[in-house]
Amino acid sequence: VTFDQIDRMVREANPVPESALVDVDLDLLPDSEWRDDMRTDQALDRDPVIGERPPKPSPPRWLGVAAALVAVVAVMAVLTQTGLVEDEPPVADSEAALLEIAQTMAQAMAEGDSATLLGLLSDNADVDIATVNRIEDIPVIGEFWAASKMQLTPGECRLRPAPASGESRVARCEFTMTNAWAEALDVAAVDTDADIRIEGGEVTTALLRMPGRFMAQTFDRFTAWRDEAHPEAIEIMHEGRGTASLSPEALELWREYTEEFVAEHSAAKPRCSKRPSRWRRRSPRATRATLLSLLSDDADVHIGLVRRMADVPAFGAMWAATGWQLSPGECRLHPPPASGSARLAQCEMRGMTNSWSRALGLIQWTLCSTSGLWTAK
Amino acid sequence: MTEPAEPRDDRFDAIYAEYRRPVLAYCMRRLGASDAADAASETFLVAWRRMEELPPPPGTLPYLYAIAHNVIRNQRRAGWRRQRLGARLLGLADDPAPDDPATVVVQNEADQEIRQAVHRLRPKDREIVMLYAWEDVPREVIAQMMGMSRSAVDQRIHRAYRRLARTLEPAHAPSKIAPSIVEEGGRS
């Protein structure tokens, strides 16, 4: 679509073309009526536009003044005073205003809010936000975020020192980033930042730093898997470029293969549930009864804080008090020993956490590979 | 008995005769027909009060547009509605019939979509686009009205048109509008 085409379309959509009013009778009422009305109205009403403004000195009489010069000066004066140019805040140049722009930009990046991003970015802005590195792709950034389950959590923005010359300022905004590939591969969320350059109230550059190690552990792992599993999709998903294509067809493939990748890799690893474990949902009474029925009278126990058989009856209460959570995983029977009848089973206990670890912000699955040794007679 | 017309009244008569239609059209593009009549009459009321400040052509119409802009803004903010004087002054009925020429609106669906897209633009961009495409105000004058440079107006029109292109073609990847065309300066 060219400029001229859009221009023609907009002009043709004029809701009140000049021709529409040609035949409308807009003649003045008889002089006596409208002038009386004017004067009456002037006496009774306050002017909603100019009534509260301080009186200004009378401008030069229009008769005899150079038309163009007076027109420009007068139009500027009235527009400034009547507020047409104040509909939106003036071009931001204070540090507070610049920070606000940066923070709004960071929030929009995190949310994939293309409308806000387009409103902030200059026409020829230089963008590189994860794999979105063309301004033409900004309208679908939210769709790509959804396809890859991108999670950007914005942090603090700080203005970098003003340069010695030039009018632009750069704000550096912190983010925590993760995505579906990282979660599927148990790669921890990574801290990163973005440089946002602001000039004339517009963002001219938005560069989100992609930590190389994180990319190697997530994006590269995903694309390597994709190249092997779906080699026919490479051309569509990249269009010959190194980074992602965000065409509608490509977006659908990003979404579909991300889901497939997550499903495949999630099945291959121990499942570490974020949800409250089944263990905690059991009643302490049932848990205690089950344990007592299974354990021998002189069993050697070492289950969290429960170290003695005498403490087993208090087991549920103790775990409830300390907020322990565990989800049982797979059990494997060890080979039979050369002698004796006892067999050893090793059972995974997943998602171990407690009130203290949660209070300290430790994520639940950090200990998900812990295991316990159980003996069964 | 009618008082003899004063020079001030004569000048107002001339201004009203020349600009009543474009001012009414300006208001109608932003309001409904009956509200537009109110806003247009209020615009001329303010103009009459500020006759000494009213610039000669070519600045008169932009000045009136500026007044109308503020009248509409105040009207929207305060919930201000009709003034009987407006309807009388403009010779319009309070509730014009649908076939009244004053309510002529092209009901083409595509045009409606474009108008809605224009109304979704950011306020300043929307005003610039309307002034440029619907009121046919030269870009230099728009720049003066909006208190910005001519190139800033060019950029805003370019950006707004590009957004309109994206809005109107959601199924397609947005395309750049050829900068060379913009640099030609459009119609101004």
Side-chain angles (χ1 to χ4, degrees), chain A residues 94-317:
Chain A
S94 71
E95 295 212 339
L98 292 170
L99 264 181
E100 186 177 347
I101 291 174
Q103 286 162 346
T104 304
M105 182 74 190
Q107 189 67 36
M109 287 165 62
E111 295 174 354
D113 179 355
S114 57
T116 300
L117 289 173
L118 288 171
L120 291 170
L121 288 164
S122 66
D123 288 341
N124 51 357
D126 182 14
V127 296
D128 194 349
I129 307 171
T131 52
V132 179
N133 55 11
R134 300 187 307 173
I135 197 164
E136 291 87 346
D137 287 338
I138 292 292
V140 293
I141 188 172
E143 294 174 47
F144 185 68
W145 274 195
S148 59
K149 294 185 172 53
M150 168 69 94
Q151 296 176 47
L152 278 173
T153 306
E156 193 175 357
C157 291
R158 292 190 185 90
L159 275 181
R160 303 187 72 178
S165 62
E167 297 177 353
S168 68
R169 292 293 300 271
V170 175
R172 178 159 287 180
C173 297
E174 299 169 345
F175 289 92
T176 301
M177 177 172 60
T178 188
N179 53 36
W181 314 315
E183 290 200 348
L185 296 167
D186 272 349
V187 176
V190 67
D191 291 333
T192 185
D193 50 49
D195 281 346
I196 297 170
R197 182 180 297 276
I198 304 163
E199 189 169 358
E202 293 186 319
V203 175
T204 56
T205 303
L207 304 177
L208 177 65
R209 188 171 61 85
M210 302 299 289
R213 186 175 179 191
F214 180 81
M215 290 295 284
Q217 291 176 325
T218 58
F219 186 79
D220 293 352
R221 289 275 303 275
F222 168 75
T223 53
W225 168 87
R226 187 274 322 276
D227 293 351
E228 187 173 340
H230 304 283
E232 74 287 352
I234 298 174
E235 180 61 26
I236 300 170
M237 295 171 76
H238 293 275
E239 286 180 352
R241 296 183 293 123
T243 53
S245 163
L246 301 183
S247 67
E249 186 181 10
L251 276 171
E252 179 57 26
L253 293 182
W254 285 106
R255 185 194 61 74
E256 180 183 343
Y257 294 152
T258 293
E259 288 178 0
E260 187 178 327
F261 178 84
V262 169
E264 191 171 302
H265 287 75
S266 297
K269 68 169 188 172
R271 285 188 290 274
C272 300
S273 172
K274 291 182 184 177
R275 293 170 298 180
S277 69
R278 283 175 290 165
W279 190 291
R280 194 174 71 157
R281 288 200 296 271
R282 288 181 184 173
S283 74
R285 183 183 300 276
T287 303
R288 181 173 62 237
T290 303
L291 278 174
L292 288 172
S293 67
L294 289 171
L295 290 165
S296 66
D297 292 342
D298 57 349
D300 182 16
V301 296
H302 191 134
I303 310 171
L305 298 176
V306 178
R307 310 288 174 85
R308 300 180 305 170
M309 272 301 293
D311 290 336
V312 170
F315 178 86

Side-chain angles (χ1 to χ4, degrees), chain A residues 7 10-11 13-14 16 21 24 26 34-35 38 41 48 53 62 76 79 82 84 88 118 202, chain B residues 9 11 13 20-21 29 45 50 66 69-70 73-74 115 124 134 144-145 159 161 163 187:
Chain A
D7 186 59
V10 173
R11 287 174 187 275
N14 188 342
V16 188
L21 296 176
V24 178
L26 294 175
W34 77 259
R35 286 187 178 128
M38 284 287 196
D41 185 79
R53 288 209 314 273
W62 60 274
M76 285 300 294
L79 291 175
T82 54
L84 182 57
E88 292 180 8
L118 288 171
E202 293 186 319
Chain B
D9 295 337
R11 185 180 175 222
D13 286 353
R20 61 191 190 276
R21 284 192 173 87
R29 291 172 188 126
L45 189 63
R50 301 174 67 91
H69 174 91
N70 290 312
R73 186 182 58 187
N74 283 6
R115 283 195 291 276
K124 189 174 281 186
W134 291 352
Q144 293 161 10
M145 293 176 68
R159 183 173 66 186
Y161 276 16
R163 287 185 186 142
R187 296 176 199 292

Side-chain angles (χ1 to χ4, degrees), chain B residues 22-71:
Chain B
V23 168
L24 178 62
Y26 177 97
C27 297
M28 288 179 68
R29 291 172 188 126
R30 290 155 179 82
L31 298 167
S34 57
D35 285 343
D38 288 344
S41 67
E42 180 69 15
T43 298
F44 281 106
L45 189 63
V46 173
W48 188 79
R49 290 170 181 164
R50 301 174 67 91
M51 282 289 288
E52 287 76 16
E53 300 170 23
L54 211 60
T60 313
L61 187 55
Y63 188 105
L64 293 171
Y65 283 157
I67 295 175
H69 174 91
N70 290 312
V71 167

Side-chain angles (χ1 to χ4, degrees), chain A residues 1-4 6-18 20-29 31-39 41-43 45-50 53 56-62 65-68 70-72 74-76 78-79 81-90 115 117-125 135-137 139 202 248, chain B residues 2-3 5-6 9-13 16 20-21 24-25 28-29 42 44-46 48-59 62-63 66 69-71 73-74 83 85 88-92 101-102 104-106 111 114-115 118 122-125 129 132-134 136 139 144-147 155-159 161-166 168-169 171 174-177 181-182 187:
Chain A
V1 180
T2 66
F3 181 93
D4 281 344
I6 286 289
D7 186 59
R8 187 169 59 250
M9 291 164 66
V10 173
R11 287 174 187 275
E12 288 174 352
N14 188 342
V16 188
E18 293 299 318
L21 296 176
V22 168
D23 299 327
V24 178
D25 179 12
L26 294 175
D27 290 339
L28 287 171
L29 297 172
D31 285 354
S32 58
E33 290 187 28
W34 77 259
R35 286 187 178 128
D36 286 347
D37 280 338
M38 284 287 196
R39 288 173 181 125
D41 185 79
Q42 187 181 23
D45 287 353
R46 293 181 68 224
D47 185 331
V49 176
I50 62 175
R53 288 209 314 273
K56 52 184 280 186
S58 297
R61 299 286 297 179
W62 60 274
V65 180
V70 171
V72 170
V75 168
M76 285 300 294
V78 72
L79 291 175
Q81 293 193 19
T82 54
L84 182 57
V85 297
E86 295 172 359
D87 246 1
E88 292 180 8
L117 289 173
L118 288 171
L120 291 170
L121 288 164
S122 66
D123 288 341
N124 51 357
I135 197 164
E136 291 87 346
D137 287 338
E202 293 186 319
Chain B
T2 304
E3 296 178 10
E6 301 171 2
D9 295 337
D10 291 341
R11 185 180 175 222
F12 181 82
D13 286 353
Y16 183 80
R20 61 191 190 276
R21 284 192 173 87
L24 178 62
M28 288 179 68
R29 291 172 188 126
E42 180 69 15
F44 281 106
L45 189 63
V46 173
W48 188 79
R49 290 170 181 164
R50 301 174 67 91
M51 282 289 288
E52 287 76 16
E53 300 170 23
L54 211 60
Y63 188 105
H69 174 91
N70 290 312
V71 167
R73 186 182 58 187
N74 283 6
Q83 277 192 345
L85 172 64
R88 292 176 61 193
L89 182 63
L90 293 166
L92 297 175
V104 169
V105 172
V106 180
D111 289 347
I114 293 170
R115 283 195 291 276
V118 169
R122 292 196 303 177
K124 189 174 281 186
D125 290 351
V129 165
Y132 172 67
W134 291 352
D136 218 16
R139 294 187 190 192
Q144 293 161 10
M145 293 176 68
M146 306 301 290
Q155 286 181 7
R156 282 184 179 265
I157 292 174
H158 179 213
R159 183 173 66 186
Y161 276 16
R162 196 174 65 187
R163 287 185 186 142
L164 291 175
R166 289 174 185 149
L168 298 170
E169 294 187 328
S175 55
K176 280 271 189 186
I177 296 172
I181 298 175
V182 178
R187 296 176 199 292

